[in-house]
Each structure stands twice: as C-alpha cells, then as structure tokens.
Amino acid sequence: MDLSLTESQEMLKASARELVEREFSKDNLVKKDTNGGFQPSDWKKIADLGWAGLLIPDEFGGEGGSLTDAAVIFHELGRGPVPGPHFSSAVLGTLTVLEGATPEQKMSLLPRLAVGATVVLAPAITESDYGWSASQIQMKAAKRNGSYTLNGAKLFVQDAIGATHILCAARLGSGKIGLFIVDAKTPGVSLRPLPGFTTGVGEVRFDRVIIHESNLLGEGREDGWTILERTLQKAIPILCAYQVGGSEKVFEMSLEYANTRVQFGMVIGRFQRVQDHVIEQVNQLDAARWATYEALWKLDTGQPAAASVHMAKALASEAYYQVCNAAHEVHAGLGIMREYGLYLHTKMSRTLYHYLGDPKFHKRRLTNALEAQGVI
C-alpha cells in the first residue's frame, strides 16, 4: 500500500494551499461568517480553477481526476475551513449524476456542473426524522400524467442557499426512492437558512411542486437509494479529507499557542495537562488521516473498500470534533474570541459530525461490512 502523493498531486496540494491562504484567510472567513456566509463570487474563484469538474470525465468537459486528486484539494479547503458548495455540488451531486443518470441526463447536467456556473447542485436527503437510512425518507412523489408532484420539507440540507438545483430524495408509488433534479426556481420551492451553531445548512420546502418525469434520475429503473449508497462510498472519503485538513489546522494553531503563550514564567506547553491535550490531538489526527487515505487508495485501485470507508468517516468525524474540544482546552478564553477564528472550525466540526452519518452510524455499518467479508 502506497499512500504517498504523486508529483501532480503535490502540485495540486500546493496550488490549493496558496488559494486558501490568499483568498480565504482566517480574517476573510470570519468576515464572511459574520456577513452572511459564502458568496457566489467565492464559488467562482474555485470553479474557475476547474475544481468544480475535477471528478467529471473529459468527455463531459471535466478534468477526469481521481478521488485522491479531489481529496488533496478538500484537505486544503478544510484547513480554512472554506465553506461553500464544493462538496455538495462538485462531489456528492456530481458523483450521484455519474452513478445514476441516463446518458441524456449526463449530457445535459455534467458539462454545466463542470463549469460550476449554471448548475450548482444541493442534495436534499434528510427530513424531520433525521438520519441517513432509507427508512427515514418519508416525503412522497405522486405521479400523474407524466409528471410528479412533490410535497414536504427537507431539513439540514447542506449548501441549499445559493444552489441552482436541488437533488431531492422522495418515495415513489412503488415504495422505491426516487432522486429528482429540481430547479430551485420552480414554483412551490422555497429555501431558508437554518440558524444555529452550524455552517451552511438550510431547509427546502416543496409545496405542490410539479416536475416532469424526465427529472427523475435514471428514469426510475433502479432504486435511487441504491444509487445514493454507491455514491456515498466514493464521496465520504473526500469529506473525511476535508475533516482531516480542519483537524490538522486546529492542531497547528494549538501547538503554536502552547509554544508561545507564557504563564507563570514559562510557555504553557511545558505544563503536563496542556501536553495531554496536544497529544490527544495528534492521536485523533493520525487515526483519521491514515484511515481516510487508506480508503481513498482502495477506491482508486479498485479494491473492496466498504469497511475502510465507514471506519474513515467514524474516525474523521470524531477526530475533528475532539481536536476542536482539545484546542479550546489549550487556548482557554482566547479560543472563544470571534476574531481568533478557532470557532470557525468548532462550528464546522459540529456541522459535519452528523452529515452523511455520525460515528455511531458508521461503526454499525463497519460491523456489517466486516461480517459480510467473513472477518468477524
């Protein structure tokens, strides 16, 4: 197993780090968080580099990159942490279209997703009974005369505000789950941000929204949830890379502070309790980092990766959460000052902890995967 980056991935990493440091400095991200969050102009800076189409094959106008190529960029975006639709649209939305769309749908959507301008996709899966199991999809799609009528609400939708299209999961008359591409300007669709200690989540309401049957991804020949499950296997490690990048940055902030902050005549890093917190960060970060890149290596080399993917998500979500907790212990009062910027990571770690399934959910899935392999 070789988890080292190639020369081109090292160049990609350097380019992404330079962009984050130039355009998304801590001060800029604090201002954006205070003044309404991520703006379309910010997304354009990322899309103009071709990163919106990194996972899209050349034939559809994309870059044809690997999952690890995308993870390298998301690792650096996580160090910001840079919010925005890069994961929702360029990874989860795009991979879902690649997995389940008809040739005609791919030809219509992928070139526009690749440039990140006319189509910005926000997957809307979860509802009031929050969770990432098929049984928790209760919203109905009623079919009549070649059209579907959607009624209901999707909650905690990541990056819904600013999206041009919504990828909505709803239950068909057959009991299967369908995935619908819905223009966000369709009459009856309404979006609103959800306030609270989270980043970029919103509510999408569908009030008797009528859409043509051609907007059903894959024309219903296959259960949309099966498509989504296959997609998540590929998308989750890229989200984990973002969490690893965030954990890495928070660790560096804590280490620098522990080595420079003087109290009682010595730097606080000399105190054993502070060392305990920093060591806890190192252990969490290392576990998440290597589990994530092992899962990516397995996926990119075509090996069975289900168990590794679930392990990576369980570890990366827990690591980002706990690394931020330890950072607040090290920084004490300074850590809660808005201008210091640590709170940006704390908010993001809480936002992503449950997104695509929390650690408990993925530990159960890990057990199932190991049982299926005959390992346990």
Side-chain angles (χ1 to χ4, degrees), residues 23 28 43 169 196 203-204 220 249 260 278 290 318 326 332-333 351 363:
E23 301 289 347
N28 279 342
W43 171 237
E203 177 192 62
V204 184
K249 181 64 177 178
T260 54
V278 174
W290 299 123
E318 192 67 33
T351 303
K363 287 175 184 175

Side-chain angles (χ1 to χ4, degrees), residues 273-311:
R273 193 67 189 108
V274 174
Q275 295 173 3
D276 290 342
H277 292 306
V278 174
I279 290 170
E280 172 68 12
Q281 290 179 316
V282 172
N283 290 337
Q284 293 280 353
L285 174 57
D286 276 356
R289 186 200 307 275
W290 299 123
T292 294
Y293 283 90
E294 181 197 38
L296 288 162
W297 175 79
K298 286 185 174 179
L299 287 165
D300 279 338
T301 55
Q303 300 187 46
S308 297
V309 168
H310 295 304
M311 180 184 290

Side-chain angles (χ1 to χ4, degrees), residues 186-215:
T186 305
V189 177
S190 59
L191 313 175
R192 75 176 180 97
L194 292 177
F197 199 67
T198 54
T199 303
V201 297
E203 177 192 62
V204 184
R205 298 196 71 85
F206 299 84
D207 183 12
R208 288 175 290 180
V209 175
I210 299 174
I211 55 173
H212 192 266
E213 61 182 353
S214 61
N215 288 15

Side-chain angles (χ1 to χ4, degrees), residues 14-325:
S15 176
R17 182 163 297 194
E18 193 273 333
L19 175 80
V20 172
E21 291 176 352
R22 186 185 71 241
E23 301 289 347
F24 303 105
S25 66
K26 178 194 70 179
D27 292 342
N28 279 342
L29 290 174
V30 169
K31 284 181 186 175
K32 292 179 190 302
D33 186 67
T34 306
N35 301 323
F38 201 75
Q39 301 299 316
S41 57
D42 298 320
W43 171 237
K44 187 174 185 305
K45 293 172 185 172
I46 295 173
D48 284 349
L49 292 170
W51 295 348
L54 188 65
L55 293 173
I56 296 175
D58 300 351
E59 63 190 282
F60 298 111
E63 301 291 326
S66 68
L67 298 176
T68 303
D69 292 342
V72 167
I73 292 175
F74 276 79
H75 185 127
E76 297 304 319
L77 293 174
R79 288 175 58 88
V82 181
H86 25 269
F87 182 79
S88 302
S89 185
V91 177
L92 186 55
T94 292
L95 289 176
T96 306
V97 172
L98 282 168
E99 284 290 334
T102 63
E104 293 76 17
Q105 290 170 331
K106 289 180 181 177
M107 191 56 70
S108 171
L109 290 167
L110 292 175
R112 293 188 289 160
L113 280 165
V115 296
T118 54
V119 175
V120 179
L121 203 52
I125 310 298
T126 51
E127 303 176 2
S128 57
D129 179 20
Y130 186 88
W132 290 89
S133 298
S135 61
Q136 288 162 303
I137 305 299
Q138 297 300 321
M139 183 172 161
K140 300 286 195 303
K143 186 175 183 181
R144 184 178 181 186
N145 298 329
S147 296
Y148 286 93
T149 301
L150 301 177
N151 260 314
K154 294 291 182 178
L155 295 174
F156 304 104
V157 178
Q158 203 69 38
D159 307 311
I161 309 304
T164 63
H165 292 72
I166 307 297
L167 175 64
C168 175
R171 199 164 289 279
L172 308 174
S174 63
K176 290 183 177 179
I177 292 173
L179 300 174
F180 295 89
I181 302 289
V182 184
D183 190 318
K185 293 181 179 177
T186 305
V189 177
S190 59
L191 313 175
R192 75 176 180 97
L194 292 177
F197 199 67
T198 54
T199 303
V201 297
E203 177 192 62
V204 184
R205 298 196 71 85
F206 299 84
D207 183 12
R208 288 175 290 180
V209 175
I210 299 174
I211 55 173
H212 192 266
E213 61 182 353
S214 61
N215 288 15
L216 174 61
L217 206 68
E219 297 178 347
R221 288 193 295 267
E222 186 177 14
D223 192 333
W225 195 260
T226 305
I227 296 170
L228 187 62
E229 291 272 16
R230 287 202 305 267
T231 302
L232 289 172
Q233 287 287 309
K234 298 177 180 177
I236 282 174
I238 299 175
L239 181 67
C240 294
Y242 184 96
Q243 293 172 303
V244 169
S247 301
E248 181 181 82
K249 181 64 177 178
V250 173
F251 161 67
E252 291 171 2
M253 292 170 68
S254 304
L255 190 62
E256 181 181 0
Y257 186 72
N259 283 327
T260 54
R261 168 68 168 150
V262 175
Q263 188 65 274
F264 306 118
M266 65 178 73
V267 294
I268 63 171
R270 299 289 298 274
F271 299 131
Q272 185 172 7
R273 193 67 189 108
V274 174
Q275 295 173 3
D276 290 342
H277 292 306
V278 174
I279 290 170
E280 172 68 12
Q281 290 179 316
V282 172
N283 290 337
Q284 293 280 353
L285 174 57
D286 276 356
R289 186 200 307 275
W290 299 123
T292 294
Y293 283 90
E294 181 197 38
L296 288 162
W297 175 79
K298 286 185 174 179
L299 287 165
D300 279 338
T301 55
Q303 300 187 46
S308 297
V309 168
H310 295 304
M311 180 184 290
K313 182 59 167 73
L315 290 174
S317 289
E318 192 67 33
Y320 200 15
Y321 184 94
Q322 296 297 350
V323 166
C324 288
N325 288 350

